[in-house]
Amino acid sequence: MAVFRSGLLVLTTPLTSLAPRLAPILTSAARLVNHTLYVHLQPGMSLGGPAQPQSSPVQATFEVIDFITHLYAGADVHRHLDVRILLTNIRTRSFLPPLTSSVQNLAHPPEVVLTDFQTLDGSQYNPAKQQLERYATSCYSCCPQLSSVLLYPDYGPGVLPVGSLDVPLPSTISPTSPVGRSAKQPVRGHQRGAVGGTFDRLHNAHKVLLSVACLLAQEQLVVGVADKDLLKSKLLPELLQPYAERVEHLSEFLVDIKPSLTFDIIPLLDPYGPAGSDPSLEFLVVSEETYRGGMAVNRFRLENDLEELTLYQIQLLKDLNHKENEEDKVSSSSFRQQMLGNLLRPPHKRPELPPGFYVIGLTGISGSGKSSVAQRLKGLGAYVIDSDHLGHRAYAPGGPAYQPVVEAFGTDILHKDGIINRKVLGSRVFGNKKQLKILTDIMWPVIAKLAREEMEQAVAEARILL
């Protein structure tokens, strides 16, 4: 069957029955769509009746939020898919106006519409497909040549019950009080709220955080995107996407899932951001990791005579396939670690440069991979000059720096056999800027001279071979 770049998945099964069926449904959809998969929730809708079904509001309950999290968690095994759950028809109790008849534009118009709705004959040739296509085009901007597929996933051995399984999903929002709540309990809506993060390489855990914020907000959502000083403590900050690129991906996602909101995306330059100073904000969405930061924001607001924000703490999304050196949650840090060793961009050829010998300098902190890169270059024919080895030669007995180092730091830095004890010397200079300068003033001129001599010898040998 053909593979489509973008698709719309319309889910019609009641949520309690849909949750255990979700993995096979997503697997079936992932075989047909290879880039962007939009998901539209319309539980209880039938495509088998004589009347054309219409989109109707779905009340935002804790069950709906938990299902959205469950779907994003399940979609994480299909990393090639950019899954986006559309929230246009999901409304909070306080804001349930009739749905407008206008068609919503999407950044990637679906080329195919899929559904979990099944017909008795199990075929692809029936009126249900026509109803599905008309339903999709009445809600969203789709490609002119829209295809439709009724999914018949392989649910494995046994028959899943038709009715509710009554097995609650894990809670997305951590309760802020010991009072219990029902899955069917409506979620309270607010006019304006805020959420913040780095949002590097937008992933499914980000999408849960943002989706909850979008459901809670009815007019405006302020989104703080970490930048500058707030990025310094991040793992592998050099591999973070530029701020403009992160904002571009974030904005496209937000406008896709809830275009009725006004989004104010701003750089987050301090831990408080607008949440600490904007009197119009009513709530703040945080994760388990940033909950203490949310508490600090509220303390800061109280100190400045502002009302506290309602905090919504979102559970972290677990990464069941993480490696030993990666976090056990879905995390941009793990994604950046996985990039190590990958070619980020193709080599830039420079034909205008004259042929000849070039000197390549390799620098980096301890453990950054200098030796590995040097060995790779050596395998390609480069001559490697290792400054560490030159340094050891320089202060070995009889070396050009041996006597000056002993005179500067005393004979107590020597082993019994006269070799300089590197550990003793290191304890003298590291942490003592004055002593370190004395050592570098001795060593670096000697190392530079040895490097020049070795380079000249390497060039001379290479010319003989040429």
Side-chain angles (χ1 to χ4, degrees):
M1 192 173 287
V3 174
F4 303 89
R5 182 168 174 79
S6 58
L8 172 66
L9 174 60
V10 179
L11 296 175
T12 64
T13 306
L15 299 187
T16 49
S17 300
L18 182 58
R21 303 168 186 257
L22 194 56
I25 291 172
L26 289 174
T27 298
S28 296
R31 294 192 184 108
L32 297 169
V33 180
N34 62 12
H35 189 268
T36 307
L37 180 66
Y38 294 104
V39 180
H40 174 88
L41 298 180
Q42 196 67 80
M45 184 179 75
S46 174
L47 296 171
Q52 175 63 38
Q54 303 294 324
S55 181
S56 58
V58 175
Q59 189 170 70
T61 61
F62 287 103
E63 177 187 40
V64 170
I65 289 179
D66 294 343
F67 179 81
I68 288 173
T69 302
H70 181 65
L71 195 153
Y72 275 126
D76 209 53
V77 299
H78 306 290
R79 290 281 172 89
H80 68 285
L81 274 184
D82 177 5
V83 175
R84 305 182 183 189
I85 302 174
L86 303 170
L87 308 176
T88 306
N89 65 324
I90 303 176
R91 310 294 183 88
T92 59
R93 181 175 57 181
S94 307
F95 303 86
L96 272 173
L99 291 176
T100 61
S101 58
S102 61
V103 175
Q104 177 183 333
N105 290 321
L106 297 173
H108 308 278
E111 300 171 5
V112 63
V113 56
L114 318 167
T115 185
D116 62 333
F117 183 83
Q118 298 185 354
T119 60
L120 294 177
D121 62 4
S123 73
Q124 294 291 334
Y125 304 97
N126 52 62
K129 290 185 62 177
Q130 297 176 359
Q131 289 201 8
L132 177 62
E133 291 174 18
R134 286 196 293 266
Y135 179 80
T137 54
S138 70
C139 297
Y140 305 105
S141 60
C142 300
C143 287
Q145 302 300 322
L146 180 67
S147 299
S148 58
V149 177
L150 305 182
L151 297 176
Y152 294 97
D154 180 8
Y155 292 119
V159 180
L160 288 170
V162 176
S164 170
L165 296 179
D166 292 325
V167 178
L169 293 169
S171 296
T172 298
I173 301 178
S174 298
T176 55
S177 68
V179 179
R181 65 161 192 251
S182 166
K184 304 294 184 182
Q185 180 180 334
V187 174
R188 176 192 171 196
H190 302 268
Q191 298 288 349
R192 300 174 184 84
V195 64
T198 307
F199 302 115
D200 179 49
R201 291 169 178 81
L202 198 67
H203 53 64
N204 287 332
H206 290 144
K207 294 175 183 179
V208 171
L209 196 76
L210 294 166
S211 295
V212 172
C214 286
L215 283 175
L216 294 171
Q218 306 307 312
E219 289 188 4
Q220 182 187 32
L221 182 65
V222 177
V223 185
V225 180
D227 197 24
K228 297 184 179 179
D229 288 348
L230 292 188
L231 302 180
K232 292 180 179 178
S233 63
K234 298 295 181 182
L235 179 68
L236 298 171
E238 304 88 350
L239 297 181
L240 283 163
Q241 292 174 319
Y243 174 82
E245 187 175 346
R246 287 181 281 136
V247 168
E248 180 183 359
H249 295 160
L250 181 64
S251 178
E252 182 185 290
F253 173 79
L254 292 171
V255 173
D256 257 355
I257 67 170
K258 194 170 181 181
S260 61
L261 277 183
T262 298
F263 297 105
D264 189 8
I265 302 177
I266 61 172
L268 200 58
L269 304 177
D270 63 75
Y272 301 118
S277 57
D278 190 339
S280 70
L281 296 179
E282 302 169 38
F283 72 88
L284 177 64
V285 175
V286 296
S287 70
E288 291 178 75
E289 291 182 331
T290 59
Y291 180 73
R292 292 176 64 184
M295 297 288 286
V297 166
N298 272 340
R299 288 194 296 270
F300 185 77
R301 288 177 68 91
L302 289 174
E303 291 170 1
N304 290 275
D305 300 321
L306 295 175
E307 290 187 8
E308 287 185 299
L309 301 174
T310 302
L311 296 182
Y312 291 91
Q313 181 184 344
I314 308 303
Q315 303 280 11
L316 296 172
L317 215 60
K318 296 299 181 182
D319 183 359
L320 301 179
N321 299 313
H322 71 93
K323 298 178 182 178
E324 287 187 13
N325 63 326
E326 297 172 354
E327 297 178 288
D328 62 355
K329 61 171 185 171
V330 177
S331 163
S332 299
S333 300
S334 296
F335 293 162
R336 291 195 295 276
Q337 278 188 311
Q338 293 165 12
M339 292 174 63
L340 294 176
N342 295 328
L343 188 65
L344 298 183
R345 52 183 175 268
H348 180 50
K349 295 183 178 180
R350 300 285 299 278
E352 75 279 6
L353 293 177
F357 299 103
Y358 290 89
V359 178
I360 301 173
L362 291 178
T363 64
I365 61 174
S366 177
S368 62
K370 299 185 297 296
S371 298
S372 298
V373 174
Q375 289 303 310
R376 182 69 181 272
L377 292 173
K378 184 176 181 180
L380 295 173
Y383 185 92
V384 176
I385 299 174
D386 191 326
S387 60
D388 284 342
H389 293 165
L390 294 181
H392 298 162
R393 278 174 49 194
Y395 60 63
Y402 178 81
Q403 196 58 39
V405 169
V406 173
E407 291 176 357
F409 294 97
T411 56
D412 55 341
I413 66 170
L414 300 176
H415 285 293
K416 291 181 179 179
D417 57 4
I419 296 174
I420 291 176
N421 188 326
R422 292 167 56 193
K423 288 186 177 180
V424 173
L425 180 60
S427 67
R428 294 271 186 92
V429 300
F430 293 118
N432 187 321
K433 292 182 178 179
K434 184 177 179 181
Q435 296 279 38
L436 182 61
K437 186 177 185 306
I438 292 173
L439 181 63
T440 54
D441 285 348
I442 295 171
M443 294 298 299
W444 281 118
V446 175
I447 292 174
K449 182 175 183 293
L450 292 175
R452 280 194 300 271
E453 291 173 354
E454 191 165 339
M455 190 182 305
E456 289 169 0
Q457 181 181 347
V459 170
E461 292 176 356
R463 282 177 174 155
I464 291 172
L465 294 174
L466 292 174

